[in-house]
């Protein structure tokens, strides 16, 4: 009896997974093989302070956050996009305004901003990035460093036009 | 007598070394006092967790049987207090990260293990408070308590090992392994799941 129950449950779970996989796979062909937009990561918006100022560097620097910004679908690089960056660093907590700053992408859609060394906080050495300027859908990223000794971290945005 | 000294010396070392190592962590320089306190409350909870199975099993020289059980209850209360301080301190440091953890929506898997262990700990405190109601079903109470204890111990050990924090890896690993081994030993020795006629 119990084995019947077990197999029925297994069947239901497996069936559910197949349906879920089919659903999530569906939009991709509809986009005609285009570049899918980046999704907001779990915890990405934690301690976000809207409107971080554009700065040459955050604090004393020594660590580099860099990445690219492209448009969903055709993958075209997006110039002049404002990316906001914050993290727990050697100079302050995530919540503190001086831990926040923003930069703009160049003509190739690349951005890089110097900031203080990121240190492990809440169990992982990680940074936060936001695109929140209105022209495209808002995206919050929370990349994790491979090692706390790293002196750079990258994050890439593919933005969905609104 | 020599054995008693050896047992206690081992426990002091296994508990003391990770606390000392954490106190020398370079991460402390970049944290404020509340965040530091929250971290050490977690370390203290892990240390108290080693004493719990040893007290329950009456393995500690000078704290056998009844005295051990009494201290076990008191240590359990301290454990609850330390976990509350741990979570409260983290909440003050970064509210959204703690809310994510409590809702099992955190990007860090270790927080779910910690929250599961915390829930089991609070359930245990409730079970202890309601012990009198189980006076005719003490075996059920013991099985419930032991099951929750296993969840607490496994959840906490995984939580601690996955966190990249102030604790030094080797001393943390030895402490967590000791807690798991001590718990396994007391569960086996006390034959909690064995059927028997009446409780003592």
């Amino acid at each position: 009896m119990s084995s019947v129950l077990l197999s029925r449950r297994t069947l239901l779970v497996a069936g559910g997974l197949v349906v879920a996989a089919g659903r999530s796979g569906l939009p991709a062909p509809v986009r005609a093989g285009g570049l899918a937009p980046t999704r907001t990561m779990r915890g990405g918006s934690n301690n976000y302070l809207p409107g971080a100022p554009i700065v040459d560097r955050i604090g004393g620097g020594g660590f580099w956050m860099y990445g690219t910004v492209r448009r969903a679908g055709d993958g075209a690089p997006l110039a002049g996009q404002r990316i906001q960056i914050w993290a727990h660093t050697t100079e302050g907590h995530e919540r503190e305004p001086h831990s926040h700053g923003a930069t703009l992408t160049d003509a190739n859609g690349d951005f890089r901003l110097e900031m203080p060394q990121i240190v492990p906080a809440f169990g992982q050495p990680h940074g936060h990035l936001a695109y929140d300027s209105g022209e495209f859908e808002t995206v919050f990223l929370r990349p994790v460093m491979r090692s706390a000794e790293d002196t750079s971290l990258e994050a890439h945005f593919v933005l969905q036009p609104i | 007598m020599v054995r008693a000294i050896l047992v206690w010396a081992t426990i002091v070392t296994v508990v003391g070394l990770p606390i000392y190592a954490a106190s020398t962590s370079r991460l402390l320089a970049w944290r404020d006092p509340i965040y530091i306190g929250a971290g050490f409350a977690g370390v203290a909870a892990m240390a108290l967790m080693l004493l719990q199975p040893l007290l329950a099993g009456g393995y500690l020289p000078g704290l056998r049987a009844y005295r051990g059980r009494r201290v076990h209850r008191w240590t359990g209360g301290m454990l609850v207090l330390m976990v509350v301080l741990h979570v409260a301190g983290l909440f003050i440091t970064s509210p959204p990260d703690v809310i994510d953890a409590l809702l099992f929506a955190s990007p860090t898997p270790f927080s779910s293990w910690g929250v599961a262990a915390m829930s089991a700990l609070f359930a245990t405190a409730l079970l202890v408070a309601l012990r009198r109601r189980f006076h005719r079903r003490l075996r059920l109470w013991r099985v419930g308590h032991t099951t929750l204890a296993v969840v607490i111990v496994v959840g906490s050990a995984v939580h601690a090992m996955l966190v990249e924090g102030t604790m030094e890896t080797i001393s943390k690993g030895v402490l967590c392994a000791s807690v798991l081994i001590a718990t396994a030993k007391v569960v086996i020795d006390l034959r909690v799941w064995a059927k028997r006629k009446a409780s003592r």
Side-chain angles (χ1 to χ4, degrees):
Chain A
M1 185 60 200
S2 71
S3 72
V4 172
L5 276 173
L6 200 69
S7 64
R8 183 183 296 161
R9 179 184 296 170
T10 310
L11 192 71
L12 283 171
V13 169
L17 283 176
V18 169
V19 171
R23 281 246 174 104
S24 64
L26 204 60
V30 170
R31 236 182 266 114
L35 195 59
T38 311
R39 295 220 176 141
T40 285
M41 293 177 176
R42 275 186 172 192
S45 65
N46 287 359
N47 295 315
Y48 175 54
L49 298 176
I54 291 173
V55 292
D56 290 334
R57 67 161 184 263
I58 302 173
F63 182 98
W64 286 94
M65 182 75 89
Y66 66 96
T68 57
V69 181
R70 288 181 294 163
R71 183 165 56 207
D74 62 4
L78 295 170
Q81 298 303 322
R82 184 160 163 270
I83 299 298
Q84 303 178 53
I85 296 166
W86 69 102
H88 186 124
T89 71
T90 52
E91 294 179 17
H93 284 231
E94 278 180 13
R95 279 199 298 169
E96 294 169 323
H98 70 260
S99 299
H100 295 241
T103 189
L104 297 174
T105 54
D106 64 15
N108 300 318
D110 293 333
F111 68 88
R112 56 194 253 122
L113 182 62
E114 196 179 4
M115 60 190 290
Q117 175 69 39
I118 293 180
V119 292
F122 278 74
Q124 287 180 332
H126 67 278
H128 292 268
L129 301 95
Y131 168 84
D132 186 21
S133 302
E135 193 183 340
F136 299 88
E137 280 180 21
T138 296
V139 175
F140 289 101
L141 300 183
R142 184 189 176 280
V144 177
M145 286 148 65
R146 271 192 210 94
S147 154
E149 311 303 319
D150 289 355
T151 54
S152 67
L153 181 59
E154 61 182 297
H156 302 278
F157 291 81
V158 176
L159 300 177
Q160 176 78 47
I162 288 180
Chain B
M1 186 61 191
V2 175
R3 192 169 171 275
I5 291 169
L6 273 177
V7 169
W8 279 108
T10 306
I11 290 167
V12 168
T13 308
V14 170
V15 165
L17 265 183
I19 296 174
Y20 169 76
S23 75
T24 64
S25 168
R26 65 197 183 102
L27 293 185
L28 297 177
W30 307 307
R31 297 183 176 193
D32 66 23
I34 290 175
Y35 191 7
I36 292 171
F40 274 98
V43 180
M46 209 64 221
L48 289 170
M49 215 171 283
L50 175 60
L51 296 181
Q52 284 303 70
L54 299 177
L55 287 165
Y59 304 134
L60 295 180
L63 293 171
R64 310 253 186 226
Y66 179 66
R67 282 178 71 189
R69 295 299 175 94
R70 272 184 55 184
V71 178
H72 177 83
R73 210 168 302 152
W74 190 83
T75 314
M78 289 295 292
L79 191 51
V80 172
L81 178 66
M82 287 303 142
V83 170
V84 169
L85 290 177
H86 181 59
V87 176
L90 292 178
F91 181 83
I92 293 167
T93 304
S94 181
D97 284 315
V98 173
I99 291 168
D100 280 354
L102 294 175
L103 296 176
F104 291 98
S106 171
T108 51
F110 60 78
S111 30
S112 297
W113 289 90
V115 172
M118 180 187 74
S119 309
L121 179 67
F122 292 167
T124 306
L126 192 67
L127 200 63
V128 170
L130 298 176
R131 191 165 195 266
R132 284 171 188 282
R133 300 210 181 164
F134 285 82
H135 69 284
R136 291 207 180 276
R137 291 172 295 166
L138 273 183
R139 189 174 163 264
L140 179 67
W141 188 90
R142 283 166 63 99
V143 168
H145 179 24
T146 308
T147 306
L148 288 170
V150 170
V151 174
I152 295 167
V153 163
V154 172
S156 302
V158 175
H159 172 74
M161 290 314 296
L162 291 178
V163 168
E164 185 170 352
T166 56
M167 289 189 86
E168 181 277 326
T169 308
I170 295 170
S171 60
K172 177 165 74 173
V174 170
L175 176 60
C176 290
S178 304
V179 172
L180 291 172
I181 292 166
T183 305
K185 178 167 169 52
V186 75
V187 169
I188 293 165
D189 283 0
L190 293 184
R191 296 161 41 87
V192 175
W193 274 275
K195 291 221 160 144
R196 46 183 149 182
K197 286 244 153 101
S199 56
R200 290 173 294 150

